[in-house]
């Protein structure tokens, strides 16, 4: 019954889906019948896998980052996968396991590593972990804003280099958040939470842009503007959008040139939103003042990468959601999403367009 109710949900089906309706209906029947379902887990340190161990037969990849071939091999005969944003589930992977895979559980809010369109077409359900990490990512965004504007890493490095000779009036100064105009590119849950936190810093104005039409009602007085105004007006520009066709490589040479030369660019979204060589060039030539990045291309970044040699760039290794609470809850939710998905029940968080 659950299955039927779910299948008829208007979120998944509309009249335009008609030709594929019945095949989809069949494809989301519960797959947990008498025997335990088989699940591939792409690393052994995911939180929440104890739950899966009790209810399913799980194969855990030994290591931290399976290659595409290793994912394909691991998925053989499995009904579900527990993965993260590192694991690319593209057409090749989906083709290789098309007879068995029913559910993907990703321990992330972003789903750009998944070919979700093909998943929808094939009736593969996707569980993900929004909301749980909103506070953690918003906090980390604040940390990057402060670390970059108040030059914390640069200042720390001055001490390590024995260059702290005396207290000095203008040494290590930076622009503060107080009275600044802060622009947010992508005003979803995390963007709105960042805006709330910014209020406490008594910024002058919060502006945002987003691709969907309409304004977002918000309790902090953030004003919707178009992208040009956002680029032109922001003292701090924070990228918090999801990565998709519209946002891929949005921040390029021309866009950096539109920004204030005093602007600070913060990216907590995905490295793919930026043409990274253009950013490096903009930072080197002081087209913008500084950048703070939680995300890069590629990830992980090697220690000799040119971004890391720039004094006006703070780079951290994709730790936006890395609080104990957030990561543990994300793990629990991922396991539950997978089990609920396999039972044909509504997930805690199911990804929909
Ligand atoms: O997609 C996610 O979960 C985010 O990148 C966490 O920082």
């Amino acid at each position: 019954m659950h299955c039927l109710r779910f299948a008829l949900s208007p979120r998944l089906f509309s009249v335009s889906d008609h030709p594929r309706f019945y095949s989809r209906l069949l494809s989301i029947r519960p797959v947990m019948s008498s025997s335990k379902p088989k699940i591939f887990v792409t690393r052994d340190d995911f939180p929440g896998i104890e739950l899966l161990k009790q209810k399913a037969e799980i194969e855990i990849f030994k290591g931290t980052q399976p290659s595409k071939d290793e994912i394909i091999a691991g998925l053989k005969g499995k009904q579900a996968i527990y993965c993260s944003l590192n694991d690319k589930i593209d057409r090749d992977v989906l083709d290789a396991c098309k007879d068995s895979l029913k559910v993907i559980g990703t321990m992330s809010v972003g789903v750009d590593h998944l070919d979700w369109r093909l998943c929808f077409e094939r009736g593969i359900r996707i569980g993900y972990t929004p909301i749980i990490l909103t506070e953690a990512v918003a906090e980390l965004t604040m940390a990057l804003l402060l670390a970059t504007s108040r030059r914390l890493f640069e200042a720390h490095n001055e001490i390590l280099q024995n260059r702290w000779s005396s207290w000095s009036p203008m040494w290590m100064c930076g622009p503060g958040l107080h009275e600044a105009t802060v622009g947010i590119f992508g005003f979803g849950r995390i963007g709105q939470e960042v805006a709330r936190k910014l209020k406490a810093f008594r910024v002058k104005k919060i502006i945002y842009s987003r691709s969907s039409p309409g304004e977002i009602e918000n309790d902090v007085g953030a004003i919707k503007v178009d992208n040009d105004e956002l680029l032109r007006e922001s003292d701090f520009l924070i990228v918090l959008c999801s990565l998709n066709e519209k946002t891929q490589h949005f921040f390029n040479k021309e866009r950096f040139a539109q920004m204030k030369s005093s602007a600070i660019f913060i990216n907590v979204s995905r490295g793919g939103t930026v043409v990274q060589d253009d950013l490096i060039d903009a930072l080197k030539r002081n087209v913008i003042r500084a950048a703070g990045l939680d995300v890069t291309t590629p990830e992980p970044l090697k220690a000799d990468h040119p971004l890391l040699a720039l004094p006006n760039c703070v780079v951290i290794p994709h730790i936006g959601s890395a609080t104990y609470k957030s990561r543990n809850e994300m793990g629990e939710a991922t396991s539950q999403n997978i089990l609920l998905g396999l039972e044909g029940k509504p997930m805690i968080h199911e990804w929909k367009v």
Side-chain angles (χ1 to χ4, degrees):
M1 191 56 210
H2 268 306
C3 168
L4 186 62
R5 248 203 323 265
F6 183 80
L8 293 172
S9 153
R11 291 173 309 182
L12 268 187
F13 297 109
S14 65
V15 178
S16 60
D17 289 302
H18 179 72
R20 283 197 287 269
F21 182 86
Y22 291 105
S23 63
R24 285 195 189 181
L25 186 61
L26 290 173
S27 70
I28 60 170
R29 274 190 309 210
V31 289
M32 279 171 80
S33 47
S34 47
S35 59
K36 283 184 168 183
K38 297 186 174 62
I39 302 172
F40 179 54
V41 179
T42 60
R43 52 187 300 151
D44 60 9
D45 55 358
F46 275 130
I49 51 177
E50 290 312 312
L51 187 65
L52 293 186
K53 282 182 185 162
Q54 289 161 24
K55 308 244 167 147
E57 250 178 63
I58 65 171
E59 179 185 327
I60 304 177
F61 178 72
K62 303 276 171 288
T64 51
Q65 184 55 74
S67 65
K68 186 192 272 196
D69 286 346
E70 286 167 331
I71 293 178
I72 289 175
L75 267 174
K76 201 159 191 294
K78 308 291 190 307
Q79 284 90 54
I81 182 169
Y82 182 143
C83 63
S84 74
L85 47 88
N86 296 322
D87 305 311
K88 209 165 167 46
I89 312 291
D90 60 11
R91 180 174 284 275
D92 297 340
V93 176
L94 293 171
D95 280 350
C97 60
K98 67 174 181 314
D99 297 329
S100 59
L101 189 68
K102 299 284 176 265
V103 174
I104 296 175
T106 182
M107 188 184 150
S108 63
V109 65
V111 293
D112 48 283
H113 54 299
L114 312 174
D115 185 341
W116 52 265
R117 282 196 185 83
L118 193 55
C119 289
F120 283 177
E121 237 175 84
R122 296 187 178 174
I124 297 168
R125 297 175 64 187
I126 299 173
Y128 73 139
T129 60
I131 303 170
I132 300 165
L133 48 57
T134 299
E135 281 294 339
V137 179
E139 269 181 19
L140 193 279
T141 306
M142 297 309 299
L144 261 184
L145 279 165
L146 294 169
T148 311
S149 62
R150 301 303 303 272
R151 304 169 66 179
L152 300 189
F153 289 69
E154 223 183 317
H156 181 71
N157 196 43
E158 288 294 286
I159 302 174
L160 296 180
Q161 300 301 320
N162 235 350
R163 288 197 289 252
W164 184 12
S165 51
S166 70
W167 182 90
S168 166
M170 299 310 289
W171 186 54
M172 286 293 124
C173 286
L177 278 168
H178 183 223
E179 290 292 314
T181 295
V182 183
I184 303 179
F185 183 81
F187 203 55
R189 285 186 207 94
I190 300 173
Q192 291 169 50
E193 189 49 47
V194 168
R196 271 178 221 112
K197 295 191 184 332
L198 280 167
K199 273 308 250 194
F201 286 80
R202 294 191 281 133
V203 297
K204 181 164 84 194
K205 197 153 100 179
I206 302 172
I207 53 181
Y208 71 89
S209 72
R210 63 195 295 258
S211 51
S212 320
E215 290 177 25
I216 299 215
E217 241 182 77
N218 64 84
D219 46 1
V220 292
I223 301 162
K224 187 176 182 190
V225 296
D226 63 24
N227 286 330
D228 288 335
E229 188 170 343
L230 193 88
L231 291 161
R232 211 174 45 236
E233 297 299 321
S234 300
D235 296 312
F236 294 83
L237 200 157
I238 310 168
V239 185
L240 283 166
C241 60
S242 51
L243 178 63
N244 55 44
E245 296 84 355
K246 285 186 194 150
T247 60
Q248 170 102 23
H249 291 161
F250 181 86
F251 291 94
N252 59 15
K253 192 176 171 179
E254 289 71 37
R255 300 251 158 67
F256 290 123
Q258 279 179 267
M259 292 169 64
K260 293 181 183 179
S261 57
S262 56
I264 292 184
F265 177 78
I266 303 290
N267 191 2
V268 191
S269 149
R270 286 290 182 266
T273 57
V274 178
V275 179
Q276 201 164 265
D277 287 344
D278 290 358
L279 174 62
I280 293 172
D281 187 59
L283 290 169
K284 275 188 180 156
R285 295 192 301 109
N286 299 317
V287 175
I288 59 170
R289 182 195 297 272
L293 312 174
D294 182 41
V295 288
T296 57
T297 308
E299 290 177 11
L301 211 59
K302 292 276 176 267
D304 60 355
H305 193 280
L307 264 181
L308 301 171
L310 298 170
N312 53 349
C313 188
V314 170
V315 186
I316 49 174
H318 205 148
I319 53 171
S321 61
T323 63
Y324 295 120
K325 182 174 186 289
S326 173
R327 289 283 168 88
N328 282 323
E329 288 179 10
M330 287 164 76
E332 292 293 327
T334 305
S335 288
Q336 286 185 33
N337 281 339
I338 292 171
L339 294 171
L340 290 165
L342 289 171
E343 286 169 13
K345 293 181 181 164
M347 294 176 172
I348 302 176
H349 298 294
E350 180 156 0
W351 200 80
K352 308 260 164 46
V353 192

